[in-house]
Amino acid sequence: SIFTGREGLSSDVALSDDIILQSILSRIPVSEKGLFQKINFINEVSSVVNEKLSLDLNVTYTYGKEAFCIYTVNDEINICADSVPGKIYAAYSLLQQSYAYNGKINKGIMYAEPQCKFRGLKVYMPAPDDLDSFYKTVDMLLYYRYNKIIIEVGGAMEYKRHPEINEAWITYCEDMGQYPDRANEVQHMFAWDKNSIHFENGGGKYLTQETVRELVGYCKRRGMEVIPEVPSLSHADYLLMPHPELAERQNDPYPDVYCPSNPESYNLLFDVMDEVIDVFDPSVVHIGHDEYYSIGICDRCKGKDGAEIYAGDIQKIVDYLKERNIRTMLWSEKLINAIGKAGQPYGGSEYRYRSLDGQVTIRRPATYRSIDMVPRDIIAHHWYWGIREGFDDEYLKRGIELVYGNFSPHRFLDWNRRLQARAQGGSPSHWSSLCEDTLQRNGVLLELVYGAYLFWCSNYNEEMYESLLKQSFYELYMYKNRDMLKKSHFEITHTTDLNRKYVYISSLPMQKEKDTVGNYLITYEDGSVLEIPIVYGLNISNRERSWTRSLGSQTDAYQTDSLLIETSYTTLPLQIDKSTYFKFVVANPYPDKKIISFTVQKKDGIEDFNIYISSFKMNS
């Protein structure tokens, strides 16, 4: 069989769309297709079907928007779609329907069209020894009808023209990974502001160009656009560790901003971009440009206006990409005078501070006037949507295409109004490794499922939060455990009064050993013992959780309970007797053995706490 358990295939180099589609549909067992004997894929919608769509659903099929229509005639299922993504989304919809209705596929007609053209996820490059995490992530994106993935390249891809970048990248990442707090210490140990350190990109190593081509090809064959992110100006540590002579701040042992007044900076950057473009063949390149702090420091830049420096750098890169028919996307906070509700300066605003002797120093020059100096055809990756809602207008009134970055849909305010104002969609972001545990605990998996509703459904309103949150919890739990639930397994529903602060995993790797608070021990009649780790934040959390949300007084975003959200996927959070419990399942490796005991073993040396077990079940 070519189907290997994910939507990818064991060998997938030049496969046709039909084989990819069949690999999805093969997950529906033949016995569960009911009376349907055949599935047809049709590129054009007939007038008869359009008339039925109009009469039954009050819609008209829209070409070129990844839409799809599914309708049944006698014993055949017909899928109408004019694009590869539309066909794949339709195939997944049939699979999802079979899941939802105990293997049955209903007769009738269905139509789906996305609300947003940009539905993505921003990720790091996978580690060379964990490519499967990337493929699983892409499969999940397709399952929930996402169409774009932004991959941060940085030092994590092989550069044949500049192998010194890769060599320095490995050494740099080894330094940053000496112990868990190292990267955060380096970021905050100097008298100046520094970029966050992305040493987990590529697992601290790099992928060959051949391997990256395979990753990109996997996405493109499924109709998913791949946008490479080449961090430039800021977050340029991967360029500057082997070339410190190009650094804006010469006294920084870990420089992260190149000098935009030095032509050699662009000779190096464009060499790197040439190789990235050759491997990715993109229509859009993301150029980073966030967290730009070291402005006008070096002798070449000193005395120059911050906005002119910033706009000049962007213009150089835009011109380079335009020559290759490629659009430019960038993190866009430095383009706006981002003053928070309490007067805090963010983004492109000027930041001053007063010392104890009363002297005022400009710590961060303003760059926001650059918004009127840069080309209008850039794509603004806007991640300040939650600070002030009005920031959107700074881009939109100038005709700059706006896409929300670091998108957190369950926290988003006024989604429908902002969509009507011409926002094009968004992308959650993941700033750590691609393993499922970090995606889960950073809330990214919940964002993908919850966000799919906003991206595809026109009836969303903000009163739906609690019901949609519960639906998302259940959907994630079943996505992970559907196969497990068909086999012999244990089901444990439990909670704890232990209460630990939520930690977002970024530049500080997950420390599962610190979060492991005990074990469940299942002893069998023959003396063998199954040990099930109890991991705070992964399969258990504090029982006093909030299932509602509130609007923050200092932001234009909802505040939600991160400790509740981080457990979704491995667990199904449940409300029982005014407390929150967490249900999870574990495979039973010995289904034929008799169990004689189930005990709790709490870990020594941590704070006092209790574990409350609502139920323990064995299902064969």
Side-chain angles (χ1 to χ4, degrees):
S1 172
I2 59 171
F3 179 66
T4 60
R6 64 170 196 246
E7 277 57 73
L9 308 175
S10 54
S11 179
D12 191 27
V13 177
L15 296 173
S16 68
D17 299 341
D18 288 343
I19 294 180
I20 292 172
L21 291 167
Q22 290 304 321
S23 73
I24 299 169
L25 296 172
S26 67
R27 295 180 62 179
I28 306 174
V30 174
S31 61
E32 295 183 354
K33 291 182 183 176
L35 300 175
F36 299 111
Q37 303 299 314
K38 188 178 180 183
I39 298 177
N40 305 307
F41 288 91
I42 302 169
N43 293 327
E44 295 185 9
V45 179
S46 67
S47 57
V48 173
V49 174
N50 246 333
E51 183 179 355
K52 190 168 181 61
L53 284 172
S54 179
L55 291 173
D56 293 359
L57 301 178
N58 195 32
V59 297
T60 301
Y61 185 93
T62 304
Y63 286 90
K65 287 195 174 181
E66 304 170 292
F68 64 89
C69 171
I70 302 174
Y71 67 96
T72 59
V73 177
N74 299 323
D75 63 348
E76 295 187 1
I77 298 173
N78 298 290
I79 293 175
C80 298
D82 65 322
S83 66
V84 172
K87 292 176 183 178
I88 288 175
Y89 303 152
Y92 274 127
S93 291
L94 290 176
L95 178 63
Q96 291 160 355
Q97 190 175 125
S98 76
Y99 288 157
Y101 298 104
N102 296 317
K104 303 299 181 184
I105 294 174
N106 294 327
K107 290 187 174 182
I109 190 166
M110 170 189 174
Y111 178 75
E113 177 184 321
Q115 300 291 301
C116 303
K117 73 173 187 179
F118 197 109
R119 310 180 306 280
L121 174 66
K122 188 273 175 193
V123 298
Y124 285 162
M125 198 79 81
D129 60 353
D130 189 26
L131 300 182
D132 199 51
S133 287
F134 178 85
Y135 293 122
K136 287 180 178 178
T137 301
V138 172
D139 293 341
M140 189 175 197
L141 290 174
L142 292 167
Y143 186 87
Y144 293 112
R145 304 180 196 167
Y146 283 75
N147 65 349
K148 302 184 193 296
I149 187 166
I150 303 167
I151 305 175
E152 183 171 328
V153 184
M157 186 188 82
E158 171 191 24
Y159 296 111
K160 295 180 179 180
R161 294 190 198 175
H162 292 281
E164 75 278 6
I165 291 177
N166 301 128
E167 294 167 7
W169 174 249
I170 290 176
T171 301
Y172 178 59
C173 292
E174 287 174 347
D175 184 353
M176 294 302 113
Q178 288 182 59
Y179 46 87
D181 295 316
R182 171 66 173 162
N184 277 340
E185 286 179 2
V186 170
Q187 182 184 353
H188 300 292
M189 71 193 305
F190 298 98
W192 53 85
D193 295 322
K194 286 184 64 60
N195 298 162
S196 55
I197 297 172
H198 299 179
F199 72 100
E200 287 190 293
N201 192 14
K205 298 181 176 61
Y206 66 92
L207 277 63
T208 66
Q209 291 189 9
E210 181 182 358
T211 298
V212 177
R213 279 193 175 91
E214 291 174 0
L215 300 181
V216 173
Y218 185 91
C219 298
K220 288 187 175 182
R221 282 189 295 277
R222 289 154 178 79
M224 177 171 285
E225 181 179 2
V226 183
I227 300 174
E229 180 179 351
V230 184
S232 49
L233 187 58
S234 57
H235 283 287
D237 46 7
Y238 71 103
L239 298 174
L240 298 173
M241 292 309 294
H243 292 283
E245 72 278 6
L246 302 179
E248 177 69 15
R249 193 182 288 274
Q250 287 292 314
N251 61 336
D252 189 344
Y254 302 102
D256 50 27
V257 174
Y258 62 63
C259 171
S261 299
N262 187 342
E264 290 302 315
S265 296
Y266 299 98
N267 289 337
L268 177 62
L269 175 64
F270 294 158
D271 271 356
V272 165
M273 282 192 167
D274 280 345
E275 296 200 51
V276 171
I277 290 168
D278 180 63
V279 171
F280 282 80
D281 189 24
S283 59
V284 176
V285 167
H286 197 305
I287 64 171
H289 276 64
D290 55 317
E291 298 183 336
Y292 176 41
Y293 300 133
S294 293
I295 306 171
I297 303 298
C298 76
D299 291 340
R300 292 173 185 256
C301 295
K302 195 172 294 181
K304 294 183 179 180
D305 178 77
E308 292 179 357
I309 293 174
Y310 192 63
D313 175 82
I314 293 172
Q315 186 68 62
K316 286 185 182 76
I317 302 173
V318 168
D319 289 346
Y320 162 86
L321 292 174
K322 271 188 177 178
E323 289 178 0
R324 291 151 181 81
N325 296 314
I326 298 171
R327 288 190 71 186
T328 299
M329 185 175 187
L330 77 164
W331 297 110
S332 58
E333 85 279 6
K334 303 299 292 188
L335 296 175
I336 55 175
N337 192 18
I339 304 298
K341 285 188 171 183
Q344 314 96 311
Y346 297 107
S349 60
E350 182 180 82
Y351 175 35
R352 299 186 176 197
Y353 72 93
R354 188 184 299 274
S355 61
L356 293 176
D357 62 3
Q359 185 176 358
V360 175
T361 302
I362 297 177
R363 186 180 182 100
R364 185 181 65 220
T367 58
Y368 66 88
R369 288 186 300 104
S370 59
I371 196 170
D372 290 318
M373 305 175 191
V374 299
R376 292 289 181 266
D377 58 353
I378 60 173
I379 303 170
H381 206 190
H382 175 39
W383 60 292
Y384 274 22
W385 52 266
I387 298 177
R388 297 288 292 272
E389 187 176 351
F391 293 162
D392 291 21
D393 297 334
E394 295 302 311
Y395 310 105
L396 295 173
K397 69 185 181 183
R398 291 173 171 85
I400 296 174
E401 185 173 332
L402 182 152
V403 171
Y404 296 111
N406 289 348
F407 182 59
S408 187
H410 57 292
R411 298 182 56 239
F412 206 89
L413 178 67
D414 287 343
W415 170 251
N416 291 324
R417 187 202 69 77
R418 294 162 89 167
L419 205 59
Q420 290 169 4
R422 301 191 315 281
Q424 299 299 309
S427 60
S429 300
H430 186 54
W431 304 98
S432 187
S433 74
L434 276 173
C435 74
E436 287 182 339
D437 290 351
T438 60
L439 284 163
Q440 171 185 326
R441 296 188 68 174
N442 282 348
V444 174
L445 299 183
L446 187 280
E447 289 170 344
L448 291 177
V449 174
Y450 196 105
Y453 200 96
L454 275 65
F455 287 150
W456 280 85
C457 299
S458 59
N459 66 337
Y460 174 76
N461 68 74
E462 295 183 11
E463 300 303 314
M464 298 170 66
Y465 171 70
E466 290 183 55
S467 62
L468 192 53
L469 183 69
K470 291 177 181 177
Q471 290 178 50
S472 298
F473 284 165
Y474 180 77
E475 175 64 34
L476 276 171
Y477 178 76
M478 293 305 295
Y479 186 93
K480 176 174 178 57
N481 295 302
R482 185 169 277 110
D483 291 338
M484 173 86 72
L485 293 172
K486 297 176 183 177
K487 304 171 185 177
S488 180
H489 64 274
F490 299 109
E491 178 186 284
I492 301 170
T493 305
H494 62 173
T495 192
T496 181
D497 54 14
L498 180 63
N499 195 359
R500 291 183 172 177
K501 183 180 179 180
Y502 174 73
V503 176
Y504 184 87
I505 301 165
S506 177
S507 297
L508 181 65
M510 189 189 318
Q511 301 177 64
K512 193 178 289 187
E513 67 282 358
K514 286 188 176 182
D515 295 326
T516 300
V517 298
N519 295 284
Y520 291 125
L521 303 177
I522 298 175
T523 304
Y524 296 87
E525 191 174 34
D526 64 357
S528 55
V529 177
L530 175 64
E531 190 174 286
I532 304 172
I534 306 169
V535 186
Y536 193 89
L538 198 58
N539 60 18
I540 197 169
S541 191
N542 179 264
R543 60 183 177 175
E544 296 182 7
R545 305 273 42 87
S546 173
W547 290 67
T548 60
R549 64 180 181 179
S550 60
L551 192 59
S553 60
Q554 297 301 316
T555 62
D556 283 341
Y558 289 105
Q559 305 301 306
T560 57
D561 190 334
S562 297
L563 285 173
L564 174 65
I565 287 167
E566 76 168 338
T567 61
S568 57
Y569 189 60
T570 50
T571 82
L572 177 62
L574 300 167
Q575 294 171 297
I576 302 175
D577 297 331
K578 298 183 179 180
S579 292
T580 298
Y581 281 74
F582 307 89
K583 179 167 73 174
F584 74 106
V585 294
V586 179
N588 180 3
Y590 312 114
D592 298 326
K593 293 184 180 181
K594 182 179 179 181
I595 296 172
I596 61 172
S597 69
F598 170 73
T599 58
V600 182
Q601 181 185 66
K602 292 196 289 186
K603 188 176 178 180
D604 294 332
I606 60 175
E607 59 266 52
D608 188 35
F609 68 99
N610 295 295
I611 292 175
Y612 305 91
I613 301 172
S614 172
S615 66
F616 167 72
K617 299 177 182 178
M618 183 178 73
N619 297 276
S620 55

